[in-house]
Amino acid sequence: MLFQLYSSIAGSQLIGWVLVFCGLILMNEIGRRTKAGGMLVFVIIPIILTAYFIGIQLGAFGGHSNQTYEYMNGWFHYAKLYAADIGCVGFMMIKYKWGIGKERWFKAFPWLIVSINILIAVASDFESAYNAFRVTGDLSGAWWASNEGVFLYGGWWNIVNGIAGLINCMCMTGWWSVYSSKDKNRSDMVWPDMTVWFIIAYDVWNFQYTYANLPTHTWYCGVALLLAPTFANALWNRGGWIQNRANTLAIWCMWAQVLPLFQLKWIPAVLPTVYGGATAAGVTTMDLYDKAIAVYNSGVNNSGEVIAQMGITANPTAQGVVALLALAANVICIAVIIKRAKTMHINPYKQDVWVGTKDYEEAMARAAE
């Protein structure tokens, strides 16, 4: 229902997914377990990459033939990478009590940086709905080409998921209860009140965001990237989900920025069902990129015609279903938060809401003041 996983390269695409999933978990473990690992992954490597990115702009490293320059040179890609990495460094400051990281007011930083990233995604959802509305005059659905070389099919599902994202910001509770873990290396920033309730609501919402707004990448960034931190939190890193999420996001952004052809050509991401009939017609991820960037650069929005010529029929059913699931998950989550806060007579953002639940107690047992 969600993906067209039945092409001649389906086996390679499954292997690619496993490689990304395992690679993200491995690199997260390197970055979280020690100060040296964290400095390497989230400070030294980004500094080296910054020099590389500057060199690209100056014409070094192959000029226009460089894959980063050709496929990932938009400001959004760089902004996303550095925003994610700033979050990782901020979380390291909290868990190791570096500088302002030991101040109580800085404990609100995780909520702030996560909310900013959610709001950026919400804006993308609303942008897609707006661009579709410009084509049809309603929200029933229409194709448009983004500056990232992606054909998007915007519609009412974007509005629904955008609302889910706004609610998700308010599902983060206990802003001030953020700690470093009490193991010898202070391996994690622990947020005990960020339990499975929020994680599920976030994961469903964020998957829909990537599914609707980054459809040609979502096999990796909407499935493997979301499951990696959730898997770690469930099995060995209780309470550290948000740190895992920021770490894996930054790691993926660095990889995708330097080697975008991995998901476009070498082991291309599986296409979602919105591109109805694309895989059967032999249309590849790279084909879609080339056509979409040509439409965007032309300044003429004839995306629907180009898509039709490729033998693709819009099938947004899954987008609508997942958007409704995202809204439902977040409405249920905030409703439970409100109910628990009223019962406990607390402010859910100043105090912890999930006290007494298994997730909370297991995470709190790891926390050190």
Side-chain angles (χ1 to χ4, degrees):
M1 176 181 175
L2 295 173
F3 292 98
Q4 301 178 55
L5 186 60
Y6 46 77
S7 71
S8 60
I9 61 169
S12 297
Q13 291 172 316
L14 285 170
I15 292 172
W17 187 94
V18 172
L19 289 174
V20 170
F21 178 75
C22 293
L24 289 172
I25 289 177
L26 176 62
M27 290 301 296
N28 178 50
E29 292 302 302
I30 293 173
R32 63 170 274 264
R33 287 185 177 272
T34 65
K35 294 179 183 178
M39 289 295 293
L40 171 65
V41 177
F42 304 114
V43 178
I44 295 174
I45 291 178
I47 288 174
I48 293 172
L49 290 183
T50 299
Y52 170 68
F53 297 148
I54 292 173
I56 288 173
Q57 302 307 316
L58 295 177
F61 305 110
H64 286 227
S65 64
N66 179 278
Q67 58 180 286
T68 297
Y69 186 94
E70 186 170 353
Y71 300 105
M72 298 288 282
N73 204 40
W75 70 269
F76 177 82
H77 299 293
Y78 290 109
K80 192 68 176 177
L81 189 161
Y82 287 104
D85 193 57
I86 287 170
C88 297
V89 173
F91 296 170
M92 287 174 62
M93 293 172 67
I94 290 175
K95 73 176 183 177
Y96 295 131
K97 300 187 184 300
W98 290 340
I100 58 175
K102 60 179 176 288
E103 302 295 334
R104 174 175 169 74
W105 63 266
F106 196 70
K107 288 189 172 187
F109 172 78
W111 174 83
L112 179 63
I113 195 69
V114 176
S115 293
I116 289 172
N117 276 275
I118 291 173
L119 291 175
I120 291 172
V122 168
S124 293
D125 259 322
F126 290 160
E127 177 191 23
S128 187
Y130 171 73
N131 281 318
F133 181 82
R134 291 176 60 189
V135 175
T136 62
D138 56 40
L139 293 173
S140 60
W143 290 107
W144 64 283
S146 76
N147 62 351
E148 296 174 11
V150 182
F151 283 116
L152 303 177
Y153 197 72
W156 59 266
W157 40 89
N158 294 105
I159 299 295
V160 170
N161 200 57
I163 295 171
L166 294 175
I167 297 172
N168 192 248
C169 287
M170 305 314 296
C171 289
M172 288 183 283
T173 56
W175 298 353
W176 308 103
S177 299
V178 179
Y179 311 95
S180 57
S181 58
K182 61 184 179 184
D183 54 280
K184 182 177 68 174
N185 292 325
R186 291 184 181 175
S187 299
D188 300 298
M189 184 194 77
V190 178
W191 190 343
D193 222 40
M194 187 165 276
T195 67
V196 67
W197 284 86
F198 173 81
I199 294 170
I200 291 175
Y202 177 95
D203 278 359
V204 178
W205 161 78
N206 193 263
F207 170 74
Q208 168 61 14
Y209 160 69
T210 64
Y211 194 67
N213 297 281
L214 299 167
T216 53
H217 300 171
T218 191
W219 177 243
Y220 294 123
C221 72
V223 184
L225 179 55
L226 279 172
L227 287 181
T230 301
F231 182 81
N233 181 83
L235 296 186
W236 66 82
N237 192 5
R238 188 76 74 185
W241 177 84
I242 191 60
Q243 174 194 262
N244 297 340
R245 167 60 179 164
N247 289 358
T248 52
L249 177 59
I251 291 163
W252 172 253
C253 286
M254 287 186 271
W255 171 264
Q257 191 76 1
V258 175
L259 296 171
L261 287 179
F262 171 83
Q263 60 184 328
L264 286 174
K265 186 175 182 180
W266 299 340
I267 310 182
V270 181
L271 293 176
T273 55
V274 68
Y275 301 111
T279 298
V283 177
T284 67
T285 305
M286 183 62 79
D287 293 333
L288 287 167
Y289 176 87
D290 289 339
K291 295 289 187 180
I293 204 68
V295 170
Y296 177 81
N297 289 335
S298 73
V300 179
N301 187 9
N302 60 340
S303 299
E305 298 172 17
V306 173
I307 284 287
Q309 291 168 4
M310 298 175 76
I312 297 173
T313 303
N315 181 11
T317 302
Q319 290 184 337
V321 170
V322 180
L324 291 172
L325 288 175
L327 181 61
N330 279 278
V331 167
I332 291 171
C333 186
I334 195 67
V336 174
I337 288 169
I338 293 171
K339 181 179 179 180
R340 289 183 65 91
K342 286 185 176 180
T343 300
M344 299 166 69
H345 304 289
I346 62 170
N347 182 321
Y349 306 112
K350 291 183 178 180
Q351 287 88 38
D352 295 347
V353 169
W354 300 104
V355 176
T357 64
K358 180 182 178 181
D359 273 8
Y360 177 90
E361 296 302 333
E362 289 183 356
M364 198 64 194
R366 302 182 61 213
E369 288 290 349

